[in-house]
Amino acid sequence: MNTDAVFEGLNPQQREAVEAVRGPVCILAGAGSGKTTTITRRIANQVLTGAFAPTEILAVTFTDKAAGEMRARLQRLGATGVQARTFHSAALAQLRHFAGDRLGQVLPSKAMTLQPIRRSLPPPFKFRPLGDLAGEIEWAKNRRLTPDTYLRSLDGHEPPIPPDIMVSVFSRYERAKESQNRVDFEDLLELAVRLYDEDAEAARIFRARYRAFTVDEYQDVNLLQQSLLERWLGDRNDLCVVGDDYQSIYSFTGATAKHLLTMKGQVFRLEDNYRSTPEILELANRLVPKLGGAEKVLRATRPSGEQPVLRACEDSAAEVASIVGDVKTFHREGVPYEEIAVLYRINSRSEDFEEALSEAGIPYQVRGGAFLARPGARGMMRALRGSTGLSEVAGIVRQVAEAQGLTPTVPGGVGEEELTRQGDLARFVRLAEEFDDGTNTVEDFFADLEGRFGAEAHGRGVNLLTYHRAKGLEFDVVFLPRLEEGELPFKRSRASEALAEERRLLYVGMTRAKQHLEITWSGEPSRFLAELGVEAPKRAPKVAPDDPVMKALKAWRLERSKKDEIPAFVVFHDKTLEEIARRRPNDLRALSTVSGVGPAKLERYGDEVIVVLEKTP
């Protein structure tokens, strides 16, 4: 190892942090500021200067991939022997060393244990995604709560199912796990905390071995992880933490940036951004006055580029169409599909883009599960297998969806996986209604779904992903559609801290873009647009029920539903009629762009709708 390799290419702020080989040290690293480079070089410098031997250093990351990357970089720098692990991996290794005979089998996931518990719940809770139940248990255990302390510690937090049922699920899960001699990932951390609290000799041996600690993504640390870190440290302070409170977006796991913001010691700010153009950073920095915390204003190191696009669209269909068109343009100009990303707030928003990209022949990959692979659609497909020879597709699909727990109004407090499942069930019903012409079968419907949504090219193509999954990634081109009230900020985010986290999500999304950023909306503009200095036009007024065009369309729908002996909603939903009345398309092409008017419905009802519109003043 040599000094040149450790300090090569560092900017002044990075160099100062690397030179601070003794703790405590806090590195506030803005997006794209080279934090991984800085902390790996600092660890290497700790070894180079003789401050610590490589085997005395433990670096902690949040993913196995990040730990592997850190180890590889340290080896290239000559700092072999440094341990780089996740919290859970480190805790597991320590438990095996000190208390291996008492350690149960580690559960790969909570789903296997939770599944029989969920099946025993009363409807509609027996259909709730296992991920929401598992996530709530993790929320509790990351706060070091038990089934006995859970209810009195909610403090305004809304579980995904009623609290009395949730605490029963939590308690039964813990009992089942104990009877099977199994532990989950949170147990690993809790058991390690107890080990060092109860076994002074184990604590002494560990602290004699490890003398210096580095923790990456410190804004994502929760109480349980912080508790273990404090046991590792004891009364010592050779700790380096790195993080960005502006990217603190995982409160649903129990993570909090307060540990980062209250860290005592030398503080270094990394604000030189190596990712985005000056134009993108100028727009993102407009949010900084509202982000609070430790102020960091990113400075661009890349050359000037294009101004970000901020555009209102006529409706959601036009918004999707414009993004698909821009994707084609960027690709023709040489941008690989894999360097293009479309971000959204929850998983169920991927469907419009899956369908549109598939129709356009553009490969795509859905990070987090494509529409047909998610629980809602999978459950529908399984339940419908025995009906493949039957027609009356819309009615059958609606009955199955209602049996699966589809509800017109999703109760408050449900998790995002259940919100996605409900959205997917509703989408499944709408697709069936659009497809049903009275002669096609459920099997035909399956084939249509596969043609419209089965084109995902795993590992290649345009990236479709949530804001949360985009953290830590970067793309040449980033689209942020639906920047609207109810989407971002999300409709359930009413409290001040929840709104603050939604704002941080937008900041994370904007700072993923390297060269091109496009923000669009078609509904009521998000309040965050005003914070970006954008004067967004107000949403088009809702069509009144007594509007002449709306009344004429409803009268026609009623007559047609009676003629076909089907419910009125199977012809068209009220929302679809409202959009038709608002836009008043004058031909079939224009009518086909209205959300809810699929090819089958266009062929069956299109001419009649155009006639109604022509006859109504």
Side-chain angles (χ1 to χ4, degrees), residues 85-159:
R85 294 178 176 268
T86 64
F87 272 104
H88 298 96
S89 171
L92 177 59
Q94 292 160 34
L95 288 168
R96 282 175 172 165
H97 180 77
F98 290 113
D101 56 332
R102 293 175 292 175
L103 183 64
Q105 182 182 358
V106 181
L107 281 171
S109 81
K110 296 179 175 64
M112 184 184 304
T113 304
L114 281 172
Q115 195 157 23
I117 298 173
R118 181 187 64 173
R119 279 199 297 262
S120 69
L121 298 180
F125 309 119
K126 66 193 307 175
F127 297 106
R128 291 291 164 84
L130 291 170
D132 279 348
L133 302 180
E136 182 66 10
I137 291 173
E138 288 163 11
W139 176 89
K141 297 181 77 164
N142 284 334
R143 287 167 170 77
R144 305 193 71 190
L145 302 179
T146 67
D148 291 335
T149 61
Y150 172 77
L151 285 178
R152 64 175 179 267
S153 304
L154 289 176
D155 192 26
H157 170 74
E158 289 187 275

Side-chain angles (χ1 to χ4, degrees), residues 386-462:
S387 309
T388 51
L390 300 178
S391 56
E392 300 181 356
V393 175
I396 295 170
V397 168
R398 176 164 281 278
Q399 288 175 11
V400 171
E402 289 173 351
Q404 296 271 328
L406 174 64
T407 176
T409 305
V410 183
V414 301
E416 289 191 11
E417 289 202 31
E418 174 61 9
L419 285 173
T420 293
R421 193 182 77 92
Q422 286 287 334
D424 288 348
L425 289 175
R427 179 63 177 265
F428 213 93
V429 171
R430 288 196 299 272
L431 290 168
E433 291 168 356
E434 292 173 13
F435 176 78
D436 191 1
D437 65 356
T439 62
N440 288 324
T441 66
V442 172
E443 192 170 18
D444 296 328
F445 179 48
F446 283 179
D448 181 68
L449 288 175
E450 187 63 31
R452 297 168 77 173
F453 297 98
E456 184 183 14
H458 299 280
R460 64 184 185 87
V462 175

Side-chain angles (χ1 to χ4, degrees), residues 227-258:
S227 298
L228 179 57
L229 177 61
E230 290 169 359
R231 270 63 174 185
W232 287 345
L233 282 165
D235 59 0
R236 302 166 300 168
N237 65 1
D238 269 308
L239 170 66
C240 172
V241 301
V242 60
D244 181 5
D245 54 306
Y246 291 176
Q247 298 185 72
S248 177
I249 58 174
Y250 295 113
S251 65
F252 59 88
T253 68
T256 173
K258 73 175 184 180

Side-chain angles (χ1 to χ4, degrees), residues 157-191:
H157 170 74
E158 289 187 275
I161 58 178
D164 58 329
I165 301 178
M166 187 63 231
V167 74
S168 173
V169 170
F170 188 6
S171 181
R172 291 169 64 188
Y173 167 79
E174 289 296 306
R175 289 199 302 270
K177 189 160 49 68
E178 185 177 352
S179 69
Q180 298 162 3
N181 191 31
R182 294 184 172 185
V183 294
D184 60 26
F185 288 120
E186 290 73 41
D187 291 334
L188 294 177
L189 305 189
E190 186 65 47
L191 289 170

Side-chain angles (χ1 to χ4, degrees), residues 349 410 419 485-494 502:
R349 300 300 187 250
V410 183
L419 285 173
E485 289 295 306
E487 289 285 339
L488 197 70
F490 197 54
K491 56 189 173 184
R492 304 248 167 122
S493 302
R494 300 186 183 94
E502 295 293 298

Side-chain angles (χ1 to χ4, degrees), residues 62 215-221 226 229 239 241-244 256-257 259-261 263:
F62 272 78
V215 181
D216 193 10
E217 302 287 6
Y218 196 53
Q219 79 281 346
D220 293 334
V221 163
Q226 179 66 19
L229 177 61
L239 170 66
V241 301
V242 60
D244 181 5
T256 173
H259 303 299
L260 176 70
L261 295 174
M263 173 79 177

